Amino acid sequence: MGDTIPGGIVAAAKNRLQVVKGLEDVEVSECESCSFEVTLNLAFIEGVWSRDDMQLKSKPNWRISTHGKKHSLVLSRVALGDAGFFSFEANGIQTASRLSVTARDIHIVKELEDVDMMERQPVNFLCEVNQEDLDGRWYRDDCRIRPGDNVKTNHHGKTHTLFFKSVRPEHAGEIKFTAERVSSYATLTVKELPVVIVRPLRVKIAMYRHRGLLECQVSRPNAQVRWYKNRKELVPSRKYQLISQDVYRQLTIDDVCSSDEDTYTCDAGDDNTSCQLLVEEQAISIVRGMSSVEVMEPEPALFQVETSLKSGRPPRWTLNGEVLEACSAVNIDRQGTVHSLCLTSTQSSMSGPVLFVAGKSRSTAQLNVKERPLEVAHPLEDVEAKEKSSVTLSCAFAPSPRVVRWFKGRTALKTSNKYSMKREGKRAHLTIHGLTGIDAGQYRCMAGGSQSTAHLKVEVRTLKLVKHLEPVEIEEEGNATFSCELNYVVANVEWLLNNVRLYCNAINRIQHMGTMHSLTIKKLWPQESRVTFKTGLLSETTTLNVKERPAVFLRSLEDVVGEEQGEVCLQCEILKIRKEDAGHYTCDLGTSQTKAKVTVHDLHITIVQRMKTTSVLEGEICTFECNLSHNVDEEPFWTINGQVMVTDSRLQVINNGRNYKMTIEMLC
């Protein structure tokens, strides 16, 4: 540094130039401004500024100036790298000082946030720092982001923003913002839009043995598609080429043949498109057409057509509008240009037009199959069956008839619950269910002009009683049981009391087990009645005699001891006095007797609980009920509009002691 004196003033002896005010050490914060000044004793002296022995020149943030005797160096936005030793030298004199730069505190106030957005939507990233004059940079996966038409960056005060007008899948990745020594990170996830078929497939016509091309356009280049023929997925091969070029998807089919004519689909997952591929034949003409054929069934029928070309797609044969396929009954052949169709076993139902189609050419002829006269191959046979069973009558015709009719005598039969009719090729069956005596007779099967007859005999079982009803005689308030046994099981039977049908209730219990049938009547009063068992045409009646229970003594006479000339009292009690017990009673002592008259008054019966008026809807159940003050010997009866009601399937009467109840079902 030469001869340096304290205070930074250097003496120059030769020209007497002296430093009046030398440089002083400066300490400044980063990004602030500072200045160095030197004052000489002479004006208009040129000097040189240096930093760490490197000469300095003016630039935007380093400004060097001279004003008379004063020389200045001004630094704008000082950086950490600007620190060092600064010196000024002029005509051999020199002064120096040190610049110290203190780093400022920089940190992120608001970090970047992850963004998950659908494709083609706008996206905005925002980061905030604690200093306003910081320059920031944006990066995606460590590649700097440059502003453009779709990407914009902005710096306003402490806030820095990155904006995508329309985000795309290729924009996805790690987004980084850097400002000097600090950085903030976020992840941008872009969801792709569903793939859309922009231009669908169209119907394509390809020449036979040439190449067919199907093409469609999807909404984005990276869309994955699959190709299908009908519902079978296609894979790349010598036959099929699957091509993807940008947004275009192509399917190429080499050596197109008739089997390639089908529906093709391009499936992009979210969308799909389909079209038909049609195969066009070379021009084929009919050289010799078909001739109509007439045969007798089951003789074969042969048709032949001659075309102009040997090669080409297989022709199509139809009979009565239905496409024919080769099988045991249909022979399809081609020898050069001659095409043949042979129907090996004909039937009258096959009569109709025969059509040959090759490309756009066709030939038509008529097939006429005459029916072979019908014959009975297996006649009906006489049958004998038991009542209630089923029987089947069968016969066969040759050849197989188109229509078969069944008759009983002269009456035509139709399918019903009684009759089942079935066809098995040449054989016809009639099944008769639930045989009864009236089903016996002559049955006839007719087809065309042929018929077969047979007789059906039905063995009718005679219903009879194995064990007969027996008369029953019991005392009043007892239970009477009647039973009988039939020779076979019958479910539909009736029990009648004095010609009134009985039903199961609290008084009557009707049971049957196998062939045994029984009736039990409870709490009977004195009466003489007829009990009848009835099923079908069979019936049997017996008698029911209910006797009055004899009067019994509740308390017998007891021995009594008395004194002569004294008095004794003899008494007894009987049970349940009746009107018949009225009369004169005598107590005879031998030497004397006394008489008394017993009068029996009618029992005064009152209704304790009366019936209530009831309102119900049609089809519902209605119940009437009342209670009497005493039990009565005579059976009460119910009336509706003055008409006495009798128990049947809809009306049920239940008498239980003094309680009487009537229930009516299915009101109308």
Side-chain angles (χ1 to χ4, degrees):
M1 286 222 192
D3 298 330
T4 304
I5 62 175
I9 302 178
V10 180
K14 293 182 179 180
N15 52 11
R16 301 181 66 82
L17 181 63
Q18 295 181 351
V19 175
V20 177
K21 182 181 180 182
L23 294 176
E24 296 179 353
D25 292 340
V26 175
E27 184 175 349
V28 68
S29 296
E30 183 182 7
C31 291
E32 292 183 354
S33 299
C34 67
S35 62
F36 294 93
E37 292 183 353
V38 177
T39 304
L40 302 178
N41 60 340
L42 298 177
F44 308 110
I45 301 297
E46 291 185 3
V48 177
W49 289 90
S50 301
R51 182 176 72 85
D52 295 335
D53 296 331
M54 296 291 296
Q55 185 175 346
L56 301 178
K57 293 184 179 181
S58 291
K59 55 183 181 180
N61 58 332
W62 299 64
R63 187 161 51 91
I64 299 174
S65 62
T66 302
H67 298 283
K69 300 177 181 179
K70 184 181 292 186
H71 298 262
S72 302
L73 170 62
V74 179
L75 283 68
S76 301
R77 294 187 59 80
V78 175
L80 292 176
D82 294 336
F85 286 98
F86 286 79
S87 64
F88 175 80
E89 184 177 357
N91 294 334
I93 65 169
Q94 186 180 38
T95 180
S97 65
R98 178 186 294 275
L99 173 62
S100 299
V101 181
T102 304
R104 61 177 172 173
D105 177 33
I106 301 175
H107 61 269
I108 303 294
V109 176
K110 184 175 182 181
E111 299 280 355
L112 294 176
E113 295 181 356
D114 294 341
V115 175
D116 191 342
M117 187 60 67
M118 186 66 71
E119 181 182 3
R120 297 185 183 176
Q121 296 297 316
V123 172
N124 188 56
F125 288 94
L126 182 145
C127 183
E128 184 179 346
V129 294
N130 64 330
Q131 302 290 341
E132 294 187 357
D133 55 352
L134 290 177
D135 291 330
R137 292 186 178 185
W138 293 90
Y139 297 86
R140 184 184 66 82
D141 294 337
D142 295 329
C143 294
R144 186 171 179 182
I145 299 175
R146 304 288 182 180
D149 294 337
N150 188 46
V151 182
K152 303 293 183 182
T153 61
N154 187 31
H155 173 204
H156 183 72
K158 300 178 182 179
T159 303
H160 298 258
T161 57
L162 171 66
F163 178 71
F164 293 89
K165 290 183 179 179
S166 178
V167 73
R168 298 192 177 277
E170 56 267 24
H171 294 148
E174 183 185 69
I175 303 298
K176 180 176 74 171
F177 169 75
T178 299
E180 295 192 9
R181 300 179 299 278
V182 295
S183 299
S184 182
Y185 302 85
T187 300
L188 172 59
T189 303
V190 181
K191 297 179 182 178
E192 293 184 340
L193 290 171
V195 178
V196 178
I197 303 296
V198 178
R199 189 173 68 187
L201 295 173
R202 296 183 180 180
V203 177
K204 183 73 175 182
I205 301 176
M207 291 297 297
Y208 191 77
R209 298 299 179 189
H210 286 66
R211 175 180 293 182
L213 175 64
L214 303 178
E215 183 182 72
C216 65
Q217 182 179 345
V218 294
S219 57
R220 64 170 182 260
N222 63 341
Q224 300 294 322
V225 301
R226 292 184 177 183
W227 287 92
Y228 294 87
K229 178 185 177 184
N230 201 342
R231 294 184 179 179
K232 182 179 179 181
E233 185 175 359
L234 302 178
V235 296
S237 62
R238 298 181 62 181
K239 178 74 174 179
Y240 303 106
Q241 298 180 29
L242 283 57
I243 303 172
S244 295
Q245 292 181 345
D246 194 35
V247 294
Y248 297 96
R249 302 295 180 266
Q250 297 176 343
L251 170 64
T252 300
I253 306 172
D254 288 333
D255 193 20
V256 173
C257 58
S258 58
S259 61
D260 294 322
E261 189 169 281
D262 212 325
T263 299
Y264 291 82
T265 301
C266 179
D267 188 351
D270 301 310
D271 200 0
N272 63 74
T273 176
S274 300
C275 75
Q276 277 192 314
L277 175 66
L278 304 177
V279 180
E280 185 173 343
E281 289 283 354
Q282 299 176 359
I284 299 177
S285 60
I286 304 296
V287 176
R288 178 170 56 87
M290 288 188 294
S291 299
S292 296
V293 175
E294 184 176 76
V295 295
M296 176 78 73
E297 63 177 359
E299 296 176 355
L302 177 65
F303 297 89
Q304 288 187 328
V305 179
E306 184 177 355
T307 60
S308 59
L309 297 176
K310 293 183 180 180
S311 61
R313 66 188 297 184
R316 186 170 75 252
W317 293 89
T318 66
L319 173 62
N320 291 322
E322 295 185 3
V323 177
L324 299 176
E325 301 288 345
C327 62
S328 59
V330 179
N331 292 333
I332 298 176
D333 188 28
R334 178 173 63 179
Q335 297 293 334
T337 60
V338 178
H339 302 264
S340 302
L341 167 67
C342 181
L343 305 174
T344 58
S345 180
T346 58
Q347 299 177 4
S348 59
S349 60
M350 297 169 62
S351 297
V354 178
L355 176 64
F356 170 85
V357 179
K360 296 182 179 179
S361 300
R362 57 183 59 199
S363 177
T364 307
Q366 190 71 23
L367 171 62
N368 185 20
V369 182
K370 296 182 179 179
E371 286 188 2
R372 189 175 68 180
L374 283 173
E375 298 177 355
V376 178
H378 188 280
L380 293 174
E381 297 179 355
D382 293 341
V383 179
E384 183 174 345
K386 293 183 178 182
E387 185 182 15
K388 303 295 184 182
S389 65
S390 298
V391 68
T392 299
L393 304 176
S394 301
C395 68
F397 296 87
S400 179
R402 285 184 292 179
V403 179
V404 175
R405 294 180 294 170
W406 289 90
F407 294 85
K408 181 179 185 296
R410 294 184 178 182
T411 303
L413 302 180
K414 296 181 179 180
T415 300
S416 63
N417 294 334
K418 183 71 175 177
Y419 302 105
S420 298
M421 301 177 189
K422 185 180 178 181
R423 289 281 305 276
E424 293 178 346
K426 300 178 181 180
R427 188 170 290 274
H429 306 279
L430 170 66
T431 301
I432 309 169
H433 303 280
L435 290 173
T436 62
I438 61 176
D439 292 322
Q442 185 187 66
Y443 288 82
R444 186 158 42 104
C445 179
M446 294 186 62
S450 301
Q451 67 176 11
S452 178
T453 60
H455 283 82
L456 171 61
K457 183 179 179 182
V458 179
E459 182 183 341
V460 179
R461 293 186 295 181
T462 302
L463 184 63
K464 60 183 179 180
L465 287 167
V466 177
K467 178 183 177 182
H468 295 271
L469 293 176
E470 295 181 357
V472 175
E473 183 174 323
I474 62 171
E475 291 184 355
E476 64 176 315
E477 295 188 0
N479 298 338
T481 299
F482 299 86
S483 64
C484 63
E485 184 177 359
L486 300 173
N487 59 335
Y488 60 87
V489 176
V490 174
N492 188 19
V493 302
E494 295 180 3
W495 289 92
L496 298 92
L497 179 64
N498 295 330
N499 294 327
V500 177
R501 185 174 178 180
L502 300 178
Y503 295 91
C504 278
N505 52 35
I507 302 299
N508 306 318
R509 184 176 65 182
I510 299 174
Q511 294 178 307
H512 79 88
M513 181 177 295
T515 58
M516 291 294 299
H517 297 263
S518 64
L519 165 66
T520 300
I521 308 175
K522 304 176 183 179
K523 298 182 180 180
L524 290 165
W525 62 89
Q527 59 178 305
E528 290 184 0
S529 306
R530 298 186 312 277
V531 175
T532 303
F533 173 80
K534 184 177 181 181
T535 175
L537 299 177
L538 177 65
S539 67
E540 185 173 75
T541 302
T542 188
T543 59
L544 168 62
N545 185 17
V546 183
K547 296 181 177 181
E548 288 186 359
R549 181 180 296 173
V552 295
F553 286 102
L554 292 179
R555 189 171 66 183
S556 301
L557 289 174
E558 298 178 354
D559 295 339
V560 178
V561 177
E563 294 180 355
E564 187 177 2
Q565 302 298 321
E567 294 181 357
V568 296
C569 178
L570 300 175
Q571 66 179 21
C572 63
E573 292 181 9
I574 61 172
L575 174 66
K576 199 175 182 180
I577 191 170
R578 298 179 179 275
K579 286 185 178 181
E580 294 81 1
D581 296 327
H584 289 85
Y585 289 81
T586 302
C587 182
D588 192 345
L589 298 177
T591 58
S592 177
Q593 64 178 10
T594 181
K595 295 182 180 180
K597 182 180 180 181
V598 176
T599 303
V600 180
H601 297 284
D602 289 337
L603 180 65
H604 180 64
I605 300 174
T606 60
I607 297 176
V608 178
Q609 178 184 341
R610 297 183 178 274
M611 290 186 294
K612 298 180 180 180
T613 302
T614 304
S615 176
V616 295
L617 297 176
E618 183 178 359
E620 293 186 345
I621 299 176
C622 179
T623 299
F624 297 92
E625 183 177 2
C626 68
N627 290 332
L628 301 181
S629 59
H630 299 83
N631 292 332
V632 295
D633 293 336
E634 296 182 0
E635 181 71 16
F637 57 88
W638 295 81
T639 65
I640 297 179
N641 294 327
Q643 182 179 356
V644 177
M645 304 309 296
V646 180
T647 299
D648 57 19
S649 59
R650 291 179 53 248
L651 187 145
Q652 186 178 21
V653 175
I654 300 176
N655 300 336
N656 187 7
R658 293 176 296 168
N659 178 262
Y660 298 85
K661 183 186 296 184
M662 178 177 69
T663 300
I664 307 174
E665 300 180 357
M666 300 296 293
L667 286 170
C668 58

